[in-house]
Amino acid sequence: MKQKTTILSILMLSLLSFAVKAQEKFEFKVSFTEPQAHYADVEMNIQGVKKSYIDLKMPVWQPGSYLIREFPKNVEFFKASVSGKEVPVQKINKNTWRIFTNNANSIQVSYKVYAFEISVRTSFVDESHAFLSPTGVFMYPDGYLNKPSTVKIKLPKIWSKVSTGLEKLNEPFTYRASDFDILFDSPIEIGNHDVFEFMASGVKHEVAMYGGGNYDPAILKKDMAKIVEYQTKIYGENPNKHYVFIVHNFENGRGGLEHLNSTTLGATRNGYNQPGIYNNFLRLVAHEYFHLWNVKRMRPVALGPFDYNNENYTTNLWISEGFTTYYSTKSMLKAGFSTQQNFLNTVGASIAGIENTIGAKQQSASSSSFDTWIIQYRPNENSTNNSVSYYSKGDVIGILMDLEIINATKGQKSLDDVMRAMYAKNMRENKGFTDAEFKKMVEDVSGKNFTEFWKKYVDGTDPIEYAKYLGYAGLKVENTGEMSTWLGATAKDNCGAVVISIVARGSAAWDGGLNVNDEVLSVDGNKPELNLESMMLKANKKPGDLVKFKVLRAGLEKEINLKLTQNRPLKLSITIDPNASAAQKAVLKKWTE
């Protein structure tokens, strides 16, 4: 009898504990009392967390954009209350507010967020609309990241629409996130934006267009659907039921940021009827949509669960971003927006871009990925000399790897098979991949050892053997770049003054001591032009010629004599060999058709 009583007591305690936990609620209300002044007003109601104090934390970075952005700097007027009475709050570090609640069951928190930075990763509010990038708006109770929350948007009378990937609830403009990771990954567009929808691959897609523009919804629906359907075919499934494109149309908009079931894009308002600008927009759509699989689900092990307080280091962004860049180019071809020759031209430009980047000889793709937190989003005047973009280098690695796999399997498999298999593995195991696991999958699919490939192109800085890899597809490659006199200095206009902005390693300017921030007063006694290389060309300067620069440095005039050198940048012309073998033709067909 005693044993039964003990078991019953344990059961009752467990049920009581469950009931207490079930009462935990986290509710947000967002309103806009001063939109013209760029503020969002946030109220947070916390229930069921009975502790002597609660730590509320705001993320310091936005997943997908690898830089500590210090979002808490925009928080003002933070206060907390219990039963209408204000309680003490102590800020214990840059992104943590400690609320002393004395075991209260219900706590109300309020604060304002200043939002006046236009980008796809930061919040912006004015009288025309509000864009909420959640990591810079919402806070989470420390230790409760895995808990659900609700968000209610209180619209000013002048606004009527909300677009977000969050789950809609029955109450107007009220949404639910199953955990804080989902909340932080769901941007919110609020205002009077244009909204239209299309179906593709069995998924309803919503397009929220802010800022007007000369777009045609009918054309966009058709073209965006083609990209969705091609990319879904690669992976064999589309994991969403609802997907949202938030498009911000500006005079010259650009950039994009991926989310689990949405993306934010920057576009040029009146560029939709200009082929070049429109194709770039579709490439951006293709890039961000491909992230639906690559990064948001198939991800490096370091990128989830996220640490929102610190940097999250990985050496694999050349896969996450570089391969996505490559697949945006492939998507344009395979979805019918580019020709085979245009695709080859883009491939050639990508390879030449890496070979002509001085920093590509100093930094590997894996190092570039790891150091993104201090270099990629914070370039300085010397970055082109000591670093390479994992977007660009990863793009080229994707090209080479794809061709290597196709060639090794005699046209039967490609990089698509690797991406599909890695996606399935990560979804099945519910965890991210390591560099070793990705390499093993490449080797399993291709039947080929990739150790040397990794050594050269992933962890190394070897020159790209482009003729070899393109030769697999029966392609002839010619360097059409011309030898030219090289100064190696780039200038910018500073209120009419010509000021040095970049000095290339190994150039005449580098060796001769021309400095960034030097104001050029004259070149061989002549008034300087903004394009200094063009000045050398117009003056018929030759390698070995001396050029006299007069500059103003730190308020003092200085003369610098430079001895010009020469340079032949790589410029690739890629054509199909009419005498290609059957095997080569099979590789080209698999790659481009």
Side-chain angles (χ1 to χ4, degrees):
M1 184 67 179
K2 183 177 180 181
Q3 185 178 9
K4 287 184 179 181
T5 302
T6 303
I7 293 173
L8 183 61
S9 299
I10 292 172
L11 181 60
M12 291 297 290
L13 285 171
S14 297
L15 288 172
L16 180 63
S17 175
F18 176 79
V20 170
K21 289 182 179 179
Q23 293 172 5
E24 294 167 353
K25 289 184 179 180
F26 306 101
E27 301 172 332
F28 294 94
K29 292 182 182 180
V30 184
S31 58
F32 305 91
T33 57
E34 298 177 294
Q36 82 291 346
H38 320 298
Y39 279 95
D41 304 282
V42 183
E43 296 178 23
M44 184 179 185
N45 182 33
I46 304 170
Q47 294 184 24
V49 181
K50 293 185 176 182
K51 294 183 175 181
S52 59
Y53 66 83
I54 297 173
D55 286 344
L56 283 189
K57 305 178 77 68
M58 177 173 275
V60 299
W61 69 288
Q62 165 65 61
S65 181
Y66 307 100
L67 176 67
I68 299 297
R69 296 185 182 276
E70 311 294 17
F71 295 125
K73 67 186 177 184
N74 295 317
V75 174
E76 302 177 23
F77 301 105
F78 186 100
K79 64 180 181 180
S81 60
V82 172
S83 300
K85 183 178 180 180
E86 195 165 337
V87 296
V89 175
Q90 179 185 2
K91 194 169 184 183
I92 61 173
N93 59 37
K94 65 181 181 180
N95 69 319
T96 307
W97 288 259
R98 178 163 290 174
I99 305 170
F100 295 91
T101 60
N102 194 27
N103 298 305
N105 183 63
S106 180
I107 304 102
Q108 290 73 47
V109 177
S110 65
Y111 55 92
K112 284 178 173 284
V113 175
Y114 181 69
F116 194 53
E117 182 178 350
I118 295 177
S119 81
V120 296
R121 63 190 70 87
T122 50
S123 297
F124 183 90
V125 177
D126 69 7
E127 70 282 353
S128 68
H129 82 129
F131 172 67
L132 303 183
S133 182
T135 48
V137 174
F138 301 111
M139 299 186 186
Y140 67 94
D142 193 21
Y144 293 86
L145 268 173
N146 63 337
K147 296 298 182 179
S149 62
T150 60
V151 177
K152 181 177 178 60
I153 307 295
K154 184 178 179 182
L155 278 69
K157 291 181 180 179
I158 56 173
W159 296 345
S160 62
K161 297 176 184 176
V162 174
S163 293
T164 179
L166 288 170
E167 175 191 349
K168 292 182 181 179
L169 298 181
N170 290 330
E171 190 176 349
F173 305 119
T174 305
Y175 306 87
R176 180 183 184 274
S178 56
D179 56 48
F180 279 90
D181 285 323
I182 296 296
L183 175 62
F184 292 146
D185 203 26
S186 303
I188 306 171
E189 176 65 28
I190 309 161
N192 298 313
H193 47 279
D194 184 19
V195 176
F196 56 89
E197 297 177 346
F198 66 91
M199 291 293 296
S201 298
V203 177
K204 183 174 77 171
H205 292 77
E206 175 185 342
V207 183
M209 301 287 274
Y210 163 76
N214 61 356
Y215 57 87
D216 183 332
I219 293 174
L220 281 174
K221 290 179 188 181
K222 181 181 67 174
D223 290 348
M224 294 169 79
K226 289 179 181 178
I227 291 169
V228 170
E229 287 162 0
Y230 163 65
Q231 293 186 352
T232 301
K233 186 178 178 181
I234 293 173
Y235 287 96
E237 69 172 27
N238 195 308
N240 288 322
K241 293 181 179 179
H242 177 222
Y243 189 92
V244 180
F245 293 95
I246 297 174
V247 184
H248 291 157
N249 292 294
F250 297 111
E251 185 177 2
N252 291 294
R254 65 194 190 101
L257 188 64
E258 72 277 2
H259 300 282
L260 194 69
N261 68 338
S262 64
T263 185
T264 307
L265 309 175
T268 299
R269 180 179 294 119
N270 292 315
Y272 291 93
N273 61 352
Q274 300 179 47
I277 295 176
Y278 183 57
N279 274 3
N280 285 338
F281 173 74
L282 291 180
R283 278 190 60 135
L284 180 61
V285 169
H287 183 104
E288 300 307 333
Y289 200 82
F290 196 80
H291 277 314
L292 188 159
W293 297 275
N294 187 24
V295 169
K296 298 315 302 181
R297 290 166 177 84
M298 187 196 96
R299 57 176 173 77
V301 68
L303 297 184
F306 293 115
D307 177 354
Y308 292 104
N309 303 296
N310 301 289
E311 295 88 344
N312 291 227
Y313 292 101
T314 175
T315 58
N316 295 129
L317 292 177
W318 58 273
I319 299 170
S320 300
E321 291 292 355
F323 280 19
T324 301
T325 300
Y326 171 52
Y327 270 97
S328 67
T329 303
K330 284 190 75 173
S331 295
M332 292 298 287
L333 173 67
K334 303 275 181 136
F337 302 115
S338 179
T339 65
Q340 184 185 66
Q341 188 57 57
N342 284 339
F343 172 75
L344 295 178
N345 292 343
T346 302
V347 165
S350 296
I351 294 170
I354 290 298
E355 290 297 275
N356 291 330
T357 297
I358 296 171
K361 300 173 179 62
Q362 311 297 323
Q363 186 184 48
S364 69
S366 55
S367 292
S368 174
S369 301
F370 192 84
D371 284 340
T372 181
W373 298 93
I374 57 175
I375 296 178
Q376 176 70 28
Y377 292 93
R378 281 187 181 141
N380 63 20
E381 67 280 354
N382 199 44
S383 293
T384 57
N385 291 319
N386 65 14
S387 62
V388 66
S389 166
Y390 50 78
Y391 284 84
S392 303
K393 184 64 179 290
D395 178 18
V396 171
I397 293 173
I399 293 167
L400 306 184
M401 190 177 290
D402 203 4
L403 286 167
E404 187 70 82
I405 295 169
I406 297 170
N407 185 66
T409 61
K410 296 180 170 56
Q412 297 303 303
K413 294 184 178 179
S414 70
L415 186 57
D416 293 4
D417 295 277
V418 174
M419 303 301 280
R420 182 165 49 250
M422 283 302 302
Y423 166 75
K425 181 177 186 292
N426 285 182
M427 293 295 284
R428 183 173 63 251
E429 298 176 357
N430 193 30
K431 69 179 186 66
F433 63 83
T434 65
D435 190 72
E437 287 173 330
F438 193 88
K439 177 175 176 287
K440 183 178 184 302
M441 185 64 78
V442 173
E443 292 175 336
D444 288 347
V445 168
S446 66
K448 185 180 179 67
N449 188 297
F450 268 75
T451 299
E452 191 65 20
F453 184 98
W454 242 254
K455 181 180 177 181
K456 287 182 177 181
Y457 302 125
V458 175
D459 298 322
T461 59
D462 286 27
I464 305 298
E465 299 173 279
Y466 51 85
K468 167 189 169 182
Y469 288 94
L470 294 171
Y472 291 157
L475 298 171
K476 295 196 300 184
V477 188
E478 180 184 358
N479 179 12
T480 60
E482 297 181 356
M483 189 69 73
S484 60
T485 301
W486 191 33
L487 172 64
T490 302
K492 63 181 179 182
D493 185 312
N494 184 9
C495 300
V498 176
V499 178
I500 302 298
S501 57
I502 297 174
V503 176
R505 185 189 300 273
S507 67
W510 177 282
D511 293 339
L514 201 59
N515 283 3
V516 168
N517 296 328
D518 284 349
E519 180 184 337
V520 182
L521 302 176
S522 66
V523 180
D524 283 342
N526 300 311
K527 183 180 178 180
E529 296 178 9
L530 197 59
N531 189 331
L532 296 171
E533 298 288 359
S534 179
M535 277 193 79
M536 302 300 104
L537 183 65
K538 291 176 183 177
N540 293 315
K541 295 293 185 180
K542 307 295 181 188
D545 287 353
L546 292 177
V547 181
K548 182 181 293 185
F549 275 74
K550 182 179 287 187
V551 303
L552 189 65
R553 181 182 296 172
L556 300 176
E557 287 192 9
K558 183 178 181 67
E559 285 192 357
I560 299 174
N561 294 318
L562 305 178
K563 187 176 182 180
L564 295 176
T565 58
Q566 61 183 0
N567 182 42
R568 187 189 184 192
L570 183 65
K571 184 178 180 181
L572 293 183
S573 172
I574 303 174
T575 56
I576 298 173
D577 186 350
N579 299 315
S581 67
Q584 289 173 317
K585 289 177 181 178
V587 171
L588 182 63
K589 181 176 181 179
K590 180 71 171 178
W591 191 38
T592 64
E593 294 182 14

